[in-house]
Amino acid sequence: MTLFLCAIFFISGTSALIFETLWFHQAGLAFGNSVWASSLVLSGFMGGLALGSAAAVRKGDRLGPPIRAYAVLEIVISISGVVLVFLLPSLGLLVTPLLNPFSAQPWVMNSMRLVLAFVFLLVPSTAMGLTLPLLTKALVMADRNFGRVLGRLYGWNTLGAVVGAVLAEIYLVGALGIHGSAVAAGSLNMIAAGGAVLVSKSLPPRDTSIIGREIHSFNWSGAKVWLGAAFFSGLALLALEVVWLRFLLLFVTGTSLSFAVMLAVALAGISLGGLFASFWLRIDPDCHRYTVALALASGLLCTATYALFPQIIEPFGRSSITGLFPVLKVSIPLMFPVSFLSGVLFTVVGSALRKECPSATTTTGILTLANTTGAAIGAFAGGFFLLPLFGMEVSFFLLSLLYGAIGLLVFTQCRAPRRVLYPITGVFLLSLALFPFGSMLSQHLMSAAGRWSGGRQWHVVGYREGISETILYVEELLFKKRQHLRLVTNSLSMSSTAFHSRRYMKLYVYLPVAIHPNPRRALLVSYGVGSTAKALTQTDSFEEIDVVDISRDVLEMNSIVFPNPSDNPLNDPRVRVHIEDGRYFLQTTDRTFDLITGEPPPPQMVGVVNLYTREYFQLMRDRLNDGGIVTYWLPLHSLGDESARAIIKAFLETFPDASLWHGWREDLMLVGTRNAQGPVPTDRFERQWQEPLVADEMKALGLERPEQLGALFIGDAAYLKEIARDDLPLVDNFPKRILSDSALGRNSSNLFVTLMETDSARARFAESPLIDRLWPQPLIARTLPYFDLQRIINNLIDLSGHPLTKNIEDLHFALTRSKLNAPTLWHMGSNSDAQRVLVTLSSEEMNLPVWQYQLGAHLFSERKFREALGPLLEAEEHEDLFPTARLFRIYALCLLQRIDEAHLLALETYPIVEEESAIEPWWDFLSETFGIDPRQPVSRN
């Protein structure tokens, strides 16, 4: 019977974690995915478990035969759990009118969310809290060793939770969807209930005359110490889990798979610890005397695993860690040891507590009540107290101290042998004395920041451990001068002030402002480094601008980007800031907008997929004024082809006039409207190029002509329907249509190549009904030649390539067939960020070859070839710049029609660079275009 009930409880644990995963997802739809919402749901879930444990204390011995009562509870969990998954998003919408009046008072509103989350989760989580006490009672009837029974049940149930966490993430949600997974989880509960009924029928009647009497003999005085140990060990472990997850996210990409794996590691440690304790109690029924040693060992390992983590992470170098096995490799050494001891600690504390009460049900109930209450407080305290006030490093130290305090608390109740107690106490105190303070800043944060440096010079200029994430601002340098800033949250490069990032982010404003006749109210979802917000505030027509971001810390740290308060877009009087989940804001606001734009994190990041589904896009459309426009980020670099098409299909099903546009390389832009009509007059369309601040920035970003805006066009609805015709849309019920194993940074292969094809895009632009409706007619014809330049820009976008390896024919076309400056800068390895630094240099700094080359690039882009010769000559003094500067000087002489001088210089240069095969296309080009070929010097007389 014991093994059969353990198997049943294993199935129940699997179901519980599947349900918990689904409830978290659905609660994100109902209440948003802010850190508040996540903590509230977790606290509500743990609170329900505690309430179930409390019910077991008061009523557990009065519920009749325990296995039969357990079967009823499994049926209750099954039905209520499935109903909650189906109804939770709708329940969230129903309570919105109740919460709206308190939107300006977040503490009041979030407290109300806690109450509502608790109420919604009350039935299934309370029933879950009752199951362990009832099954423990049932098995103790057959096996009087309470501790052994408790360890078995606790271990097998938690091991089932490991399977549930991984199964839901890897298979169920993807195959069956959220609703189908709920039915599957409910079916597991029904299987457990059926198995329990079979066991119950096979048992002989029991004498129940003593039911309800044993609680009166509970020795509360003797139990206080053990209950305190249970409470504080639950608090310590859940707080530690919060800190562990935040710490690992410095190195691990925060996808839902990564979170599931890390949770599974912690649960596996707890379960195996419980099973080990069950075995230990069979050998030594009084092993609770080692509780002090267990607590101190937990604190010691908490410190030791943090101290040794640099050796664990070293083999990964600067690569982001994602995928099942890499995440296991870093999370097991950090999380498993303390989790294992926590499972042992819970079981042996329960065994000691049992000696103070003859009722197995009451003992288990009050034990789990203390432990889950502590866990609920620990989860909340870890995220809202320890991390923001003390940071990760000090939190590790404080939690180690807390485990030491648990050991001190139970010291008077234990009689551990001195040969065990003294050494472990000494090593524990030594670990505290040698705690590696300072390694967070000197090692771990530097590793997280350096992952995005790409070999460039950089250093950290700002750092904060906030409530929802760890934030780093990294300054990237060009020859010891700031080129741009990068915002890194946890292990993800979230945004950058680099010109190519600003280009695509500001396009989300520039394009709709060009085609909308009078945009007055705008909404920005996700702030980043403020580039899009800055484009909004620099547009005079906007009268009201709402900015929604989930992180107050990201907004506050933006002063690093805008040190002058008058430049900070958040200080613009038209801007209203909302610290909230973007989806929840759209669900609850009654405001409407002319422009809604958004750049949330990539959709694989945990909780973010809700901002890419068809239902979310419908919320955006519902909040548009008639004629309003939505612009939205499509991060092709973070998606596989199938995932990208699923998002496109979802957007297309919401916006019948959807279109897709270039941003920068794989950062694309989806555009949809609510019955937008046009076109605006040509002078209205071109107004942004006459406004000084906007025009200067557009030029810096390579948007130098109004015609270039149209050349960013990839395709309208007809084209998008074609490329996504065989795909299913991303919807709330099937969030795994964003493949969880799509590695961040992976190219989107075939789809990307197709979307970069500009000749076809030009034909689609000329024939598009959408363009005909929204674009001024005179501009359509003028735009068509600029698709050739867009092709060149697409080729030049790989800024990591050396200037001499890029297509010189493209550069010649841009120089001689257009007046654009940016393509030349990009080809020569420069950009507007470097040019901005150039004007700040002293005369001494300007004489350095590296800056002379940048000056030469600037003059070249301005077609001032004669003036560029001098700086390029100076740049040749630098060994690394010699071949590049020399070849561009030869090319400049050719453009000036000084062919003989160019030929003599080429003859002089060729022997020096003869072995550099990458230069061969240059000699071919110079030969074909200007008749210069130093490889055949006799060809000129």
Side-chain angles (χ1 to χ4, degrees):
M1 182 185 76
T2 300
L3 288 176
F4 192 72
L5 285 179
C6 285
I8 288 172
F9 213 34
F10 174 91
I11 294 172
S12 179
T14 301
S15 171
L17 252 292
I18 294 172
F19 270 134
E20 185 180 354
T21 301
L22 302 179
W23 292 338
F24 266 97
H25 181 272
Q26 298 299 80
L29 301 179
F31 300 116
N33 274 296
S34 67
V35 65
W36 263 104
S38 300
S39 297
L40 297 174
V41 174
L42 178 60
S43 297
F45 178 73
M46 299 300 294
L49 294 180
L51 186 61
S53 301
V57 174
R58 295 184 59 83
K59 303 290 184 181
D61 284 328
R62 299 182 177 89
L63 294 177
I67 297 180
R68 189 173 301 170
Y70 168 80
V72 173
L73 289 172
E74 288 291 347
I75 294 172
V76 171
I77 294 168
S78 174
I79 296 172
S80 61
V82 172
V83 169
L84 188 59
V85 170
F86 276 80
L87 293 185
L88 194 54
S90 299
L91 291 172
L93 292 175
L94 290 175
V95 301
T96 293
L98 179 65
L99 297 176
N100 275 348
F102 304 100
S103 59
Q105 301 169 281
W107 285 98
V108 175
M109 186 171 71
N110 287 321
S111 298
M112 294 180 69
R113 281 174 167 174
L114 173 58
V115 172
L116 291 170
F118 183 83
V119 169
F120 291 155
L121 293 169
L122 187 62
V123 174
S125 59
T126 300
M128 288 177 181
L130 271 164
T131 56
L132 179 61
L134 286 175
L135 279 191
T136 303
K137 176 183 178 182
L139 286 183
V140 166
M141 291 179 181
D143 184 344
R144 292 297 176 180
N145 190 325
F146 172 84
R148 185 168 62 191
V149 169
L150 177 67
R152 276 187 183 177
L153 289 173
Y154 181 64
W156 281 108
N157 183 253
T158 311
L159 198 60
V162 174
V163 174
V166 177
L167 184 65
E169 171 62 29
I170 292 179
Y171 175 72
L172 279 182
V173 176
L176 305 178
I178 298 295
H179 293 163
S181 298
V183 173
S187 300
L188 291 176
N189 289 115
M190 288 298 188
I191 291 171
V197 169
L198 291 176
V199 172
S200 178
K201 288 181 177 180
S202 68
L203 294 177
R206 297 279 182 178
D207 179 11
T208 59
S209 61
I210 63 168
I211 290 177
R213 300 177 188 172
E214 293 177 327
I215 189 172
H216 301 296
S217 61
F218 197 100
N219 181 10
W220 291 99
S221 176
K224 289 179 181 178
V225 168
W226 299 112
L227 290 176
F231 173 85
F232 286 112
S233 61
L235 188 155
L237 182 62
L238 261 291
L240 192 55
E241 281 190 34
V242 172
V243 178
W244 276 335
L245 290 175
R246 176 68 65 81
F247 179 62
L248 284 171
L249 286 177
L250 291 175
F251 314 95
V252 173
T253 303
T255 64
S256 56
L257 175 63
S258 298
F259 271 87
V261 171
M262 291 186 285
L263 174 62
V265 168
L267 291 173
I270 295 169
S271 66
L272 294 177
L275 293 172
F276 172 80
S278 175
F279 171 77
W280 191 12
L281 282 161
R282 186 175 66 181
I283 299 173
D284 182 1
D286 294 323
C287 64
H288 63 274
R289 68 184 185 274
Y290 292 100
T291 304
V292 174
L294 288 171
L296 294 179
S298 299
L300 167 63
L301 287 173
C302 181
T303 299
T305 52
Y306 173 68
L308 296 173
F309 195 77
Q311 284 71 48
I312 297 168
I313 204 70
E314 184 179 6
F316 293 93
R318 291 185 173 181
S319 61
S320 295
I321 300 171
T322 188
L324 177 61
F325 293 107
V327 176
L328 282 173
K329 287 180 181 179
V330 296
S331 55
I332 287 175
L334 181 70
M335 303 173 71
F336 185 85
V338 180
S339 297
F340 178 85
L341 287 185
S342 294
V344 177
L345 193 61
F346 174 84
T347 307
V348 298
V349 166
S351 176
L353 184 64
R354 178 70 170 88
K355 298 180 184 299
E356 310 298 336
C357 177
S359 168
T361 310
T362 301
T363 301
T364 311
I366 200 166
L367 172 71
T368 52
L369 172 62
N371 190 255
T372 54
T373 301
I377 294 172
F380 197 82
F384 289 91
F385 179 72
L386 285 177
L387 287 174
L389 289 184
F390 300 106
M392 289 176 280
E393 187 166 78
V394 176
S395 293
F396 279 122
F397 181 78
L398 292 176
L399 291 170
S400 297
L401 283 179
L402 180 56
Y403 277 113
I406 294 170
L408 187 63
L409 175 67
V410 300
F411 178 76
T412 58
Q413 302 294 317
C414 299
R415 295 292 182 268
R418 293 181 180 179
R419 67 179 184 277
V420 174
L421 187 59
Y422 287 0
I424 192 66
T425 301
V427 176
F428 171 72
L429 294 175
L430 182 63
S431 73
L432 295 179
L434 298 177
F435 188 85
F437 287 110
S439 61
M440 182 62 67
L441 282 173
S442 64
Q443 290 181 303
H444 302 308
L445 291 177
M446 295 302 102
S447 176
R451 185 173 298 113
W452 299 98
S453 68
R456 295 178 293 272
Q457 295 177 312
W458 60 275
H459 63 85
V460 174
V461 294
Y463 155 61
R464 180 181 296 186
E465 294 183 53
I467 290 177
S468 57
E469 71 279 289
T470 302
I471 303 170
L472 294 168
Y473 262 104
V474 180
E475 181 183 57
E476 298 192 0
L477 307 175
L478 178 66
F479 307 118
K480 301 182 180 180
K481 298 289 184 179
R482 175 184 289 184
Q483 189 172 27
H484 58 261
L485 292 164
R486 183 178 298 277
L487 170 64
V488 178
T489 60
N490 299 327
S491 65
L492 182 67
S493 176
M494 192 64 66
S495 193
S496 167
T497 64
F499 82 94
H500 49 83
S501 296
R502 301 200 321 273
R503 174 185 167 98
Y504 82 81
M505 288 187 282
K506 294 193 174 188
L507 269 172
Y508 298 165
V509 175
Y510 294 154
L511 188 143
V513 167
I515 61 178
H516 194 289
N518 187 26
R520 295 184 296 113
R521 298 172 70 175
L523 169 64
L524 169 62
V525 177
S526 294
Y527 183 78
V529 295
S531 294
T532 307
K534 189 65 176 176
L536 289 169
T537 57
Q538 287 181 333
T539 303
D540 293 337
S541 65
F542 287 117
E543 299 170 2
E544 299 175 0
I545 302 169
D546 288 85
V547 174
V548 180
D549 199 279
I550 207 165
S551 172
R552 186 182 302 276
D553 297 297
V554 165
L555 299 179
E556 290 179 355
M557 290 192 72
N558 195 232
S559 58
I560 294 175
V561 178
F562 300 102
N564 185 344
S566 62
D567 292 335
N568 194 321
L570 296 176
N571 295 331
D572 190 292
R574 298 169 293 170
V575 172
R576 291 185 296 185
V577 174
H578 310 269
I579 308 300
E580 188 54 87
D581 173 81
R583 179 164 178 151
Y584 187 75
F585 175 82
L586 285 170
Q587 287 178 176
T588 56
T589 187
D590 57 0
R591 298 175 61 78
T592 56
F593 306 92
D594 301 308
L595 168 62
I596 301 178
T597 185
E599 314 147 50
Q604 293 96 339
M605 310 308 291
V606 66
V608 180
V609 70
N610 294 343
L611 302 182
Y612 286 88
T613 63
R614 181 177 61 195
E615 291 83 354
Y616 177 68
F617 293 144
Q618 185 63 52
L619 279 172
M620 298 176 79
R621 191 178 194 280
D622 292 343
R623 296 297 177 267
L624 282 177
N625 292 320
D626 195 51
I629 301 172
V630 161
T631 55
Y632 213 70
W633 186 39
L634 183 66
L636 215 59
H637 51 76
S638 300
L639 302 166
D641 289 359
E642 183 179 344
S643 300
R645 290 194 298 263
I647 295 173
I648 291 172
K649 189 70 169 282
F651 194 84
L652 185 62
E653 290 188 355
T654 309
F655 294 97
D657 64 353
S659 55
L660 185 64
W661 302 74
H662 287 289
W664 181 264
R665 194 169 172 80
E666 294 165 300
D667 292 299
L668 306 182
M669 176 173 61
L670 286 163
V671 179
T673 82
R674 181 164 181 158
N675 307 317
Q677 300 298 320
V680 298
T682 303
D683 59 344
R684 170 68 184 81
F685 185 100
E686 296 178 340
R687 184 183 303 170
Q688 294 177 98
W689 282 267
Q690 276 76 53
E691 296 175 358
L693 287 177
V694 178
D696 288 346
E697 178 69 346
M698 293 178 90
K699 180 179 180 181
L701 303 181
L703 298 169
E704 303 169 65
R705 298 282 307 166
E707 294 85 353
Q708 286 184 269
L709 205 58
L712 299 173
F713 179 81
I714 295 174
D716 58 16
Y719 176 66
L720 297 182
K721 286 179 183 178
E722 179 63 24
I723 65 173
R725 68 180 184 276
D726 298 325
D727 296 271
L728 295 171
L730 180 63
V731 294
D732 288 345
N733 191 39
F734 282 92
K736 290 299 178 183
R737 287 176 183 162
I738 296 294
L739 302 178
S740 61
D741 61 348
S742 294
L744 294 180
R746 190 182 84 178
N747 286 341
S748 5
S749 62
N750 296 330
L751 181 60
F752 174 69
V753 173
T754 300
L755 297 180
M756 293 300 107
E757 213 287 305
T758 53
D759 288 340
S760 300
R762 171 167 39 207
R764 291 191 292 269
F765 179 86
E767 299 169 1
S768 169
L770 176 71
I771 297 302
D772 187 61
R773 189 175 87 230
L774 299 180
W775 234 250
Q777 286 298 318
L779 267 177
I780 294 178
R782 285 163 40 195
T783 295
L784 296 178
Y786 280 82
F787 279 89
D788 289 326
L789 290 163
Q790 182 61 38
R791 174 187 59 79
I792 291 171
I793 290 171
N794 289 346
N795 293 338
L796 289 173
I797 274 174
D798 183 8
L799 299 179
S800 62
H802 191 278
L804 298 185
T805 65
K806 297 176 181 178
N807 192 328
I808 180 61
E809 293 182 0
D810 283 347
L811 173 62
H812 190 65
F813 183 95
L815 275 172
T816 59
R817 303 280 294 276
S818 83
K819 296 182 179 179
L820 303 183
N821 296 338
T824 301
L825 286 177
W826 299 341
H827 190 113
M828 296 183 70
S830 184
N831 55 61
S832 57
D833 293 342
Q835 296 298 315
R836 186 186 64 252
V837 174
L838 195 64
V839 300
T840 68
L841 299 176
S842 66
S843 57
E844 183 177 352
E845 290 171 323
M846 273 298 302
N847 289 330
L848 295 175
V850 291
W851 293 114
Q852 284 293 303
Y853 178 79
Q854 293 292 328
L855 176 59
H858 166 73
L859 295 169
F860 222 100
S861 70
E862 296 282 346
R863 279 70 172 175
K864 298 177 180 177
F865 306 121
R866 190 183 309 278
E867 292 89 335
L869 293 174
L872 290 174
L873 177 62
E874 294 294 327
E876 292 177 21
E877 297 299 320
H878 194 289
E879 181 180 357
D880 294 336
L881 290 173
F882 168 76
T884 305
R886 173 63 63 86
L887 285 172
F888 276 111
R889 190 154 68 94
I890 294 170
Y891 179 40
L893 289 170
C894 291
L895 292 171
L896 291 169
Q897 297 302 310
R898 292 159 61 175
I899 304 299
D900 289 336
E901 291 180 62
H903 183 237
L904 290 174
L905 193 58
L907 290 174
E908 176 187 319
T909 306
Y910 180 69
I912 304 174
V913 299
E914 182 178 359
E915 296 181 0
E916 297 190 31
S917 59
I919 298 177
E920 286 298 312
W922 271 74
W923 300 132
D924 293 338
F925 166 77
L926 291 173
S927 174
E928 294 171 5
T929 308
F930 300 104
I932 292 176
D933 191 346
R935 297 167 297 187
Q936 300 177 8
V938 296
S939 64
R940 292 187 57 85
N941 296 313

